[in-house]
Every structure is written in C-alpha cells, then in structure tokens.
Amino acid sequence: MAQHFDAIVIGAGMSGMYQLIKLRELGLSTRVFEAGTNVGGTWYWNRYPGARFDSETYSYQFSFDKELLETWDWKEHFAPQPETLSYLNHVADKYDLRRDIQFRSRVKSAHYQEKTNTWLVTLEDGSEYTSHFLITAVGPLSAPTMPAIPGVKDFKGTSYHTANWPHEPVKFEGKRVAVIGTGATGVQTIQEVAKTAKTLTVFQRTPNWCAPLLNRPITPEEMKEIRAGYPALFQRCMETFSCFIHTPIQKNTFEVPKEEREKVWEELYNSPGFGIWLGNFKDMLMDREANAAISEFVANKIRQRVKDPVTAEKLIPKNHGFGTRRVPMETKYYEVYNQDNVKLVDIKETPIECINATGIKTSNAQYDFDIIIFATGFDAITGSFDRIDFRGVGGEKLRDRWRYGPETYLGMSTNNFPNMLMLVGPHMALGNIPRTIEFNVEWVTGLVKFAVDNKIDRIEPSAEDVQKWTDHVKSLGEGNLAFEVDSWMTGVNSNVEGKQVRIINRYSGSAPEWRRLCTEAAARGYTEFCRKMPVAA
Ligand code: NA7
C-alpha cells in the first residue's frame, strides 16, 4: 500500500526546503521528493563553470532565521555557485532537513483521487505515495532544454547541458570547445571557459544586452557592516518593485538633459549588479524612445570594448531593446572576443545545419570539437509542471489546461486541483526569488494551517477567481516592452513543441502589490479557497 503523508512537497530547492521547515512547525507529516542527490535546486544542478549570483549575495539568502544571518559569512558580493550550495547545505544541516527528503526521486505523476480526497504521487521508479496536501516547489527554471538541432545526439566527443553539469571538475586545457547559447548562463560559461580552452567557438543566435557585474570579495569588515544592515536591507527588498535592492530613478529619461543622463548611465554602467537594468530611469521598459536611447548607450560600450568592429556589431542586439530580456551580467565578457583563441559564429547568418560525430556543421563550415556545451536554457515557468503528469478532478490534465498559458489564482493554485498549492509557480512576482519564496511559503503555510485548524478538507479556488486573476495578470503585461520580445520570460522556447507563441506567464505588477493582494485574500479568511465549506461563525 502507498505510504501516506499529510503533505508531499516536490523539490528540495530553496522553496521546498523552507516549506518543509514550516510544515514541520505545523506538526504535519511531510515527505519531500527530490530528483537530485542533495538539496539546493538551481544551485545543485547549475554547476557549470562560472555559475554565480547576478544579484547581491546577501539580498538573495533566507532572512527568516536571525541566528543563520548572524553566523553565516559571505565571501563575495556575487557568490559563486559552490558558496551558495554550501550555504544551502548548511541550512539543511541546521534544520536536519534531509531526514524528510527522499533524494534520487523524480516525480512522474500526481493524480488527485476524488474518493479519498488525496493525491497519489508516483515516482519514476514506480513507487507510490499519497498525501492530503500537494505542494509544488519545482522551480521556474529547472526543466533544461536541448536544442532542436538535427543530430544533437550524434556527437562522439563530450557534451554537457549547463544545467546537468557533472559533479567532478571539467578541464578545458588543450580542448576545442563549443558553446551554443548566449543567455545569462552562456555568458557566464563563455567568459570562464575562454580562460583555459585551446579554442572556444561561440554559436550565437541572438545576442543579449550584457552589463558589467563588478564582483569583488567581501572583506571581514564589510561583512560586519552588511550584517549590521540586514534589517534595513530586507525591509528595502520588501518595498522595491521586484524585491531587489535597486529601485528605478523616479524620473523619465528625457526629463533629464542629455549630458546629465549620460552621466547617470555611466555611473550605473560602472556600478555593481543589476542597477543599470532595475535602477534606471522609470520609463526605460515602457517608452520606446527611452529604451532606444539606453540601448544606444550600451551599444557604444560594446563597440568600445570589442576590437573588431564586425564582431562588435554581431554582439549588439538588433531585435530587442536593452532590458527587455533578462540582462546577463558579465565580467570581461566582451573582451573575450578580443582573444585569439575565441571565435564568434553568428548562426543567424550561417545557420547550424546539424551536429555530427565530430562537431557542428553550419551552412558554410564544419567545426570539429572535443567538447560541446549546451547553454540552451529552460522550458521556463510551466515546463517543470509539464514534465509531471498532474491530473485534477475528473482526471483533467494540468498540461492540457495550461496548453495556451497558465491559469491560476494568486499564482499559487488553480481550480479543479484541490489541495494543490504552488511555490514560485506561474503568475506570481518573480524578481528576487528568495524574497518571493519566503512570502509564498508563509502564505501557503497560513492557508494549510487554516484548513487544518478549521477541519476544511478541500481547498480550491473557483473557476471564476482563476479567470479573474489570469485576466488581471494578462492586463498588467500590456504596454511592457518585455512582453513584445521572445524570451523565456514570455514563455517562448524554440526547442519545445507548442511554445513558439508569446504568453503572459508571470506577474508583472509590483511585488508589494502582489503580496498585498495575497495578504488581503488571507485576511478575508481564505474564503475564495473554502467557498464550498460553511464559513465559521
Ligand atoms: P536563456 O536565457 O533562455 O538562453 C538560452 C540561449 O540558448 C539563448 O541564447 C538562445 O538563443 C540559445 N538557444 C536555445 N536554443 C537554441 C538552438 N536550438 N540553437 C541555437 N541557440 C539556441 O537561458 P539561460 O540558461 O542562459 O538563462 C535562463 C535564466 O536562468 C537566466 O535568465 C537567469 O535568470 C537564470 P535565442 O535567444 O533563443 O535566439
């Protein structure tokens, strides 16, 4: 017989870990299923060379545990992946989380069973478990996609997807290496691999607007100051639009004279982190001319940094403006293309025809390699849901329901999927994700506690509320230039069938507003979730 739990959580990344801590506080028997061999989610899987935070480290950690904040020292302003992973392992040790996490356990399906009002969860090895609550902590960027290029499996050398990187170090010395993909991951990988590879050939389909990260170590004195500033830092993160420490300048671009404007941009370009993206003039992502002006500023930086003008032009995006896709943060990325061992292949100009036993064939050349790195991204936001066969009331498939885009209430639930709650799912404020995770987990925990305390067996929003929220999220996307561009943020993935059309899959209002709406829903006594039940007098 299937083993039963009060709650099953899928995924042991940051959201699954914190959810486990909170469910234990409620005294619920909980099992977390995790495909990997340890905790960490994104930071467990993405071990590729150069992987690191693009956000200020200290703003991206858990804030719920004062003792943890007091005792953990960060070493770099933008921590490399190994440092973040050891932090998350430290959290898992501190809370003895692993005893409730079953590793090497990929969930294949989760079916709601009407008769028993339980979820039947089946792992890929065929083992079965049931639970009353089902909480997804599957991550928005966790379903890696290989490129839909003919012959992708024919290569006889070594190949890796960045999100399935081996645990052992990979050496590039003396090797002919290819990287396909120039998103945030590709950029980090390229600038690292270029240091040691015999040759590095970058296959770029669409250039992205990259900006300097300007990372540096944190000195012990700085760490003391950072720690003393934690309350103010987390307060600030809860007030900004997307929970980052950066906040837009409260002026429109052309309200400021050209000279002054360029001075501001110069300062932003020379400041660490996402400031130039998230701390720029407030109309940058809404006004075409304002966006064109900052794009030209950054294009000129690329022209100054890349010696060969033809290569420089290839590296300047022409089909989208600055900041309308996720801005990759870089450390001497553009200078890589001044190195003799690095070559840029523009595959819009000379498309890849196939991958074969020895390398990559484009329309005008055959390139042979020892290693091919696929930095080709993820089936984002809904992809990790699509890979699990979720079925709700009457066997309805979530995959079918969301075929033309997700439908949710508050980004945490959908109708016909009772007692299933989502962490960092579609239609919620993403931004600085750990800040969202903490709120999201605490909100879900509040709802679960309410249901348990009030003996409410079935929590589920109505179809009307789901429709209303989905329409609201869609309307927020209007006028936002980022929704006019193909990217993972608009649900487009050329490698996944049926995902060629842009959709609105994330909440683009402010995080404080999203939290306000969720908090109000809780304050109403979660009535939208419990409408079938008598409301307590
Ligand atoms: P991204 O940002 O989705 O980038 C994927 C890259 O791979 C991008 O340059 C794609 O080009 C390229 N790509 C994808 N498929 C192909 C094929 N078939 N042929 C050639 N090139 C291809 O993923 P990342 O992993 O870099 O980053 C995802 C997020 O993770 C990031 O924003 C951070 O928030 C963390 P395209 O642009 O589609 O032309």
Side-chain angles (χ1 to χ4, degrees), residues 42 46 48 54 141 145-149 161-162 180-187 203-208 325-327 347-348 352 375-378 486-489 492-495:
T42 286
N46 288 271
Y48 60 85
D54 278 350
L141 291 157
T145 44
M146 290 293 280
I149 298 174
H161 189 289
T162 46
I180 302 181
T182 50
T185 302
V187 166
F203 291 86
Q204 172 190 271
R205 187 165 66 183
T206 313
N208 282 298
R325 288 173 132 202
R326 203 295 208 168
V327 174
I347 55 172
K348 279 261 165 70
I352 296 179
T376 44
F378 303 90
D486 288 355
S487 78
W488 69 258
M489 298 201 295
V492 176
N493 187 316
S494 66
N495 308 305

Side-chain angles (χ1 to χ4, degrees), residues 117-419:
N117 188 29
T118 55
W119 282 91
L120 172 66
V121 171
T122 307
L123 304 185
E124 277 192 345
D125 68 7
S127 54
E128 294 183 337
Y129 305 83
T130 56
S131 66
H132 183 64
F133 296 105
L134 177 68
I135 300 179
T136 64
V138 291
L141 291 157
S142 56
T145 44
M146 290 293 280
I149 298 174
V152 72
K153 291 201 176 117
D154 296 348
F155 183 58
K156 294 278 186 279
T158 313
S159 60
Y160 311 102
H161 189 289
T162 46
N164 278 318
W165 201 263
H167 289 210
E168 306 72 41
V170 176
K171 293 259 178 264
F172 302 104
E173 281 87 353
K175 305 278 192 227
R176 300 161 302 163
V177 184
V179 174
I180 302 181
T182 50
T185 302
V187 166
Q188 290 188 334
T189 306
I190 289 161
Q191 63 200 18
E192 194 60 30
V193 173
K195 291 179 186 164
T196 52
K198 182 177 172 203
T199 63
L200 169 63
T201 310
V202 176
F203 291 86
Q204 172 190 271
R205 187 165 66 183
T206 313
N208 282 298
W209 297 100
C210 312
L213 179 66
L214 302 173
N215 182 34
R216 60 187 169 82
I218 297 175
T219 63
E221 293 71 44
E222 265 181 321
M223 191 59 233
K224 268 192 210 146
E225 274 170 39
I226 291 169
R227 181 167 283 132
Y230 276 155
L233 171 88
F234 292 119
Q235 180 62 32
R236 180 177 171 77
C237 288
M238 294 317 268
E239 288 164 4
T240 60
F241 192 90
S242 39
C243 308
F244 291 99
I245 62 171
H246 308 280
T247 189
I249 300 166
Q250 285 312 304
K251 275 186 189 161
N252 289 325
T253 306
F254 299 115
E255 277 176 46
V256 177
K258 187 164 189 276
E259 216 169 276
E260 203 183 309
R261 192 161 77 220
E262 298 215 331
K263 203 167 146 231
V264 169
W265 286 338
E266 197 64 47
E267 267 169 31
L268 288 171
Y269 197 78
N270 290 299
S271 306
F274 279 144
I276 193 157
W277 185 26
L278 306 169
N280 215 311
F281 294 106
K282 68 179 165 69
D283 59 345
M284 184 185 89
L285 294 177
M286 305 296 276
D287 182 284
R288 273 174 223 289
E289 282 181 36
N291 188 263
I294 178 70
S295 300
E296 189 54 19
F297 174 87
V298 181
N300 284 331
K301 290 286 178 201
I302 300 171
R303 291 183 184 113
Q304 284 158 20
R305 291 174 58 184
V306 178
K307 285 186 190 149
D308 172 31
V310 176
T311 306
E313 285 313 308
K314 286 183 178 166
L315 289 164
I316 297 171
K318 303 289 187 309
N319 70 346
H320 67 283
F322 179 80
T324 59
R325 288 173 132 202
R326 203 295 208 168
V327 174
M329 301 309 290
E330 49 88 19
T331 305
K332 301 202 185 322
Y333 173 65
Y334 290 110
E335 286 72 14
V336 157
Y337 296 97
N338 299 334
Q339 291 179 206
D340 291 339
N341 64 333
V342 178
K343 182 181 170 67
L344 179 69
V345 177
D346 178 347
I347 55 172
K348 279 261 165 70
E349 209 174 88
T350 54
I352 296 179
E353 284 182 353
C354 66
I355 295 180
N356 49 35
T358 57
I360 297 174
K361 185 174 182 305
T362 66
S363 60
N364 71 342
Q366 166 73 29
Y367 299 89
D368 288 344
F369 298 110
D370 303 304
I371 300 175
I372 299 180
I373 299 174
F374 298 105
T376 44
F378 303 90
D379 185 357
I381 302 186
T382 50
S384 44
F385 287 89
D386 292 347
R387 289 182 186 193
I388 295 172
D389 177 21
F390 287 104
R391 295 196 196 179
V393 175
E396 182 182 16
K397 291 184 181 180
L398 190 66
R399 208 182 281 152
D400 290 347
R401 163 80 82 78
W402 286 2
R403 178 154 304 199
Y404 303 105
E407 296 172 359
T408 79
Y409 179 54
L410 301 177
M412 296 196 250
S413 58
T414 195
N415 60 303
N416 261 3
F417 290 77
N419 304 334

